[in-house]
Amino acid sequence: MKNILIVSILLLILSCKEKSKNVDNQVIWKPYNDSLEVVANADHEISRMQFKLVQSKVLDKNDVFLPLYNEVSEITELDYNKWKSYVLEQDIPRIQAHIAAGDLSYENLVLFYLYRIYKYELNNETTLNTILALNKDVIEQAKLCDEVLAKFPEAKRHEIYGMPILLKDNIGTQGMHTTAGAIAFMDNNTDDAFIVKQLKAHGALILGKVNLSEWAYFLCTGCPVGYSAVGGQTLNPYGRKIFETGGSSAGSGTAVAANYAVAAVGTETSGSILSPSSQNSIVGLKPTIGLLSRTGIVPISSTLDTPGPMAKNVTDTAILLSAMTGKDPADVKSVSIDKNYIDMGVNALSGKRFGAFKNLIDSDSIYASTIKTLKNLGAEIVEFIPESVNLLGFRSILSIDMKNDLPFYIQEHVLNKDVLEVSNIPDLINYNKQDSLIRIPYGQALFEGIVADTVSSEQLKVIILELENKSRTHLNTILNLNHLDAILSVNNYYAGLAAVAKYPALTVPMGYKRTGEPENLTFIAKPFEEDKLLQLGIAFEKATKARKQPIDYID
C-alpha cells in the first residue's frame, strides 16, 4: 500500500511537467475525513493521544505548497536519488564538502528537502502535519548562494551558509505569518526575530515554518502535545498516532527527524525543546537564558523563554547555535559570550564524572544500559537519589509573565495590528469563545487561569528569586559535592528544575523502547557551559551511534 501511494505521488508530480506555469487554480491537495483516525485513537492508553481531530480545519495546504510546486515538480526521482547520498543523514560539514567539491549545489540541497516535504506532506497517509508555511523565495535565495560561492570560492563563510533551516511558528519571520498555532494570529505579520536576522546574516536559508503546540502549550490542560488550531495534530514519524510528538516544539522535532531540513529552531520555557527532541530521536539544546535573544518571538515568559537549536546530530546543533548567538540590546537578558561552539574536537568520555539518578537506573532499562556503557568507556558514575523540590508558584511565573509579555509583543512586533482582533489575553479568550469547536476544541483552561491569577508583580519577583535559588542550590549540591561534569537525565525529566535555575541542557539519542519509541540521554550543566555539554554530547554520540531514521520515512 505504501509503495502504491508513493508511486501515485511521484506520478502526480511528473504529470505536472507538461502543465502551464500558472498554478493559481490547481489543486494538489484535498482535505479528507479524519473521523476514522479519531475513532481509532479513542482508546489510546495515553489520554493526550485521544484526539478530537487530526487534520487542521483552517489550513489549506494548497496555499502552502502551490507557490513552489512547479519548481519541485521538475525534480525527477533520478535527481533525488543522486542527491540523496550527499544529503540524507549527512552533517553540515559533509554537506558543505560535497558542495565545495561540485557534487551538489545549494539549489540542489533546497530542492532535495522540498521534494521530501511534498512527497510526504501532500500524502494524507504519511503527512506529519508539520509544515505550516514555506518560503516562496527560498529557491532563488539558494541560487544566489551558489552564485556567491562560484564568484568567491575562497571566501570565509559560516558553516550555516546555504543551509535550509525550519523555524517554529512562534518565531518572527518576514514574508511568512507568525501564528503561534492560533487562528487569532493566522494573519500576524512581523519583521525577522533577532535570531532570524543572525541566521540570515550568516547566510542560512529559511526554508519555512513548522507546527507547534498552540501558544507553546500554554492554552489548554491535558490536551495533545503538538496540536494547534492552525496546523492540526502534529504526528510522530516513528509512530504516527502511536507515539506522542513531545511539545511544544513538535514541528521542529518531527521535521528534523523526517529529514525535511538540515536543522530547525525550537523554543523552550520548560521542556519544550528537550521533550520533542527526545520523542523524535534528535539532538536538542535548551541554552542558558540570555545566550540566545528572545526578541521577536511570541512569548510565554520573559523570565524563562529561550529559543534553541534542534538537529539530527550534535555537530549541526553546535553550528546552528553558533549562527544564532549575539548580543541583542532589545533583550535585557541577552549576553555576549565569546566561545567557539563549532571547532571543539571530540573529547573522550574517559575520566568524566556524571551524576546518575538511582531511581531511573532501577526503572529504565535503556538508561541503565547507557550508564553501564559510559562506565565501560571510562566515565565515572556517581549514583544519587534526588530529593523532592517543590516548585510552588511556577505556574504563576508563566501566567503573570504571559499576561504582561503578550500585549507587549503585540504592541512592539505585530506590523498589522489593525488586522488582528486581539491585543491581550481577555481578548483572546473572548475571540476563541466565538467558535470554540474550531478555535479551542480542547478548551483554554490555562488562558482562563492567567486571568484568574492574582499574584502581584512584587510577589512574582519573590517567587522567581525563590525558585531560582532553590533549584540552583539543589542542582549545584549534586554537581559540586560530587565534582561532576554533568547530571544525566532521561528526555525532559528534571526540565522544570533546569528551567527555573536557568541552566542549559542537551539531549542526545540514546535508544528505543521495545515498541520503537525513541528515548534520549539528557546532559544538564551550569549556566553558559554549552560548550562543555556539546563536547560531552559529541563524544557520547560518536561512541554509541544510537540514532536510527524513522523506517517509514526512508525511501
Side-chain angles (χ1 to χ4, degrees), residues 135-190:
N135 175 8
K136 59 182 175 54
D137 299 318
V138 69
I139 296 173
E140 293 305 313
Q141 291 166 356
K143 289 178 181 178
L144 182 59
C145 286
D146 287 322
E147 292 173 10
V148 172
L149 176 64
K151 192 172 182 179
F152 306 103
E154 303 302 322
K156 187 176 181 180
R157 282 174 274 269
H158 195 283
E159 290 271 24
I160 206 71
Y161 181 85
M163 296 295 105
I165 305 297
L166 289 166
L167 304 175
K168 184 177 180 179
D169 198 24
N170 60 350
I171 300 172
T173 317
Q174 281 186 344
M176 287 177 275
H177 297 310
T178 300
T179 71
I183 294 174
F185 263 39
M186 277 192 76
D187 296 320
N188 176 29
N189 290 331
T190 70

Side-chain angles (χ1 to χ4, degrees), residues 341-505:
Y341 298 111
I342 301 177
D343 301 318
M344 298 180 298
V346 179
N347 290 345
L349 291 169
S350 179
K352 297 295 186 295
R353 291 178 60 83
F354 298 113
F357 291 87
K358 180 69 167 59
N359 56 316
L360 294 181
I361 292 174
D362 294 339
S363 63
D364 189 313
S365 61
I366 299 175
Y367 181 76
S369 176
T370 298
I371 295 303
K372 184 177 180 180
T373 297
L374 289 170
K375 287 181 180 178
N376 292 337
L377 291 169
E380 298 180 46
I381 302 296
V382 178
E383 297 183 16
F384 67 93
I385 300 173
E387 298 177 4
S388 177
V389 181
N390 190 334
L391 297 182
L392 185 65
F394 180 80
R395 175 69 62 81
S396 286
I397 296 177
L398 308 189
S399 293
I400 304 305
D401 271 356
M402 194 170 187
K403 182 186 294 185
N404 298 319
D405 295 341
L406 187 59
F408 178 81
Y409 166 86
I410 293 172
Q411 182 60 39
E412 294 296 317
H413 297 288
V414 175
L415 301 178
N416 55 339
K417 286 183 277 291
D418 56 319
V419 173
L420 301 189
E421 299 179 33
V422 297
S423 60
N424 53 44
I425 297 296
D427 286 351
L428 282 164
I429 291 173
N430 291 330
Y431 177 87
N432 290 335
K433 285 180 178 178
Q434 292 171 22
D435 190 351
S436 59
L437 291 178
I438 299 297
R439 297 174 183 177
I440 47 167
Y442 299 99
Q444 52 183 340
L446 293 180
F447 268 16
E448 291 163 351
I450 291 173
V451 175
D453 198 315
T454 58
V455 168
S456 68
S457 58
E458 290 305 313
Q459 290 172 320
L460 184 66
K461 290 177 184 177
V462 173
I463 291 172
I464 291 170
L465 185 60
E466 284 184 350
L467 290 189
E468 182 175 321
N469 289 339
K470 184 188 296 185
S471 57
R472 287 195 174 197
T473 298
H474 176 77
L475 293 172
N476 286 346
T477 298
I478 298 171
L479 289 163
N480 296 339
L481 187 64
N482 300 296
H483 307 289
L484 302 179
D485 290 285
I487 295 171
L488 302 180
S489 179
V490 173
N491 295 359
N492 61 327
Y493 182 69
Y494 254 47
L497 274 173
V500 292
K502 301 171 185 173
Y503 279 21

Side-chain angles (χ1 to χ4, degrees), residues 86-143:
Y86 301 127
V87 180
L88 195 66
E89 293 294 307
Q90 302 288 304
D91 63 22
I92 290 174
R94 290 195 195 100
I95 293 174
Q96 293 285 19
H98 290 310
I99 292 172
D103 299 321
L104 190 71
S105 69
Y106 293 114
E107 181 185 4
N108 297 157
L109 182 62
V110 166
L111 289 171
F112 173 86
Y113 286 121
L114 287 173
Y115 185 93
R116 285 186 63 83
I117 289 170
Y118 279 57
K119 176 180 180 179
Y120 290 113
E121 291 302 300
L122 285 176
N123 182 340
N124 289 329
E125 294 199 20
T126 59
T127 181
L128 302 174
N129 292 329
T130 192
I131 302 295
L132 298 189
L134 290 171
N135 175 8
K136 59 182 175 54
D137 299 318
V138 69
I139 296 173
E140 293 305 313
Q141 291 166 356
K143 289 178 181 178

Side-chain angles (χ1 to χ4, degrees), residues 134-308:
L134 290 171
N135 175 8
K136 59 182 175 54
D137 299 318
V138 69
I139 296 173
E140 293 305 313
Q141 291 166 356
K143 289 178 181 178
L144 182 59
C145 286
D146 287 322
E147 292 173 10
V148 172
L149 176 64
K151 192 172 182 179
F152 306 103
E154 303 302 322
K156 187 176 181 180
R157 282 174 274 269
H158 195 283
E159 290 271 24
I160 206 71
Y161 181 85
M163 296 295 105
I165 305 297
L166 289 166
L167 304 175
K168 184 177 180 179
D169 198 24
N170 60 350
I171 300 172
T173 317
Q174 281 186 344
M176 287 177 275
H177 297 310
T178 300
T179 71
I183 294 174
F185 263 39
M186 277 192 76
D187 296 320
N188 176 29
N189 290 331
T190 70
D191 288 325
D192 287 333
F194 182 88
I195 59 168
V196 177
K197 291 178 182 177
Q198 293 295 94
L199 287 170
K200 289 182 176 180
H202 290 302
L205 300 173
I206 306 304
L207 184 60
K209 309 289 284 292
V210 291
N211 205 0
L212 68 161
S213 303
E214 188 169 340
W215 296 113
Y217 207 58
F218 203 66
L219 171 65
C220 46
T221 55
C223 47
V225 289
Y227 170 80
S228 77
V230 171
Q233 182 61 53
T234 313
L235 301 171
N236 191 321
Y238 287 90
R240 294 175 78 253
K241 295 166 288 182
I242 299 172
F243 305 135
E244 290 191 287
T245 59
S248 65
S249 304
S252 303
T254 57
V256 171
N259 277 284
Y260 286 174
V262 166
V265 183
T267 66
E268 174 157 332
T269 307
S270 176
S272 288
I273 288 173
L274 300 178
S275 170
S277 296
S278 303
Q279 283 296 119
N280 292 282
S281 198
I282 65 168
V283 177
L285 174 67
K286 178 259 180 183
T288 308
I289 303 297
L291 183 61
L292 296 180
S293 163
R294 291 85 55 81
T295 299
I297 299 175
V298 180
I300 291 180
S301 168
S302 55
T303 303
L304 302 178
D305 288 348
T306 179

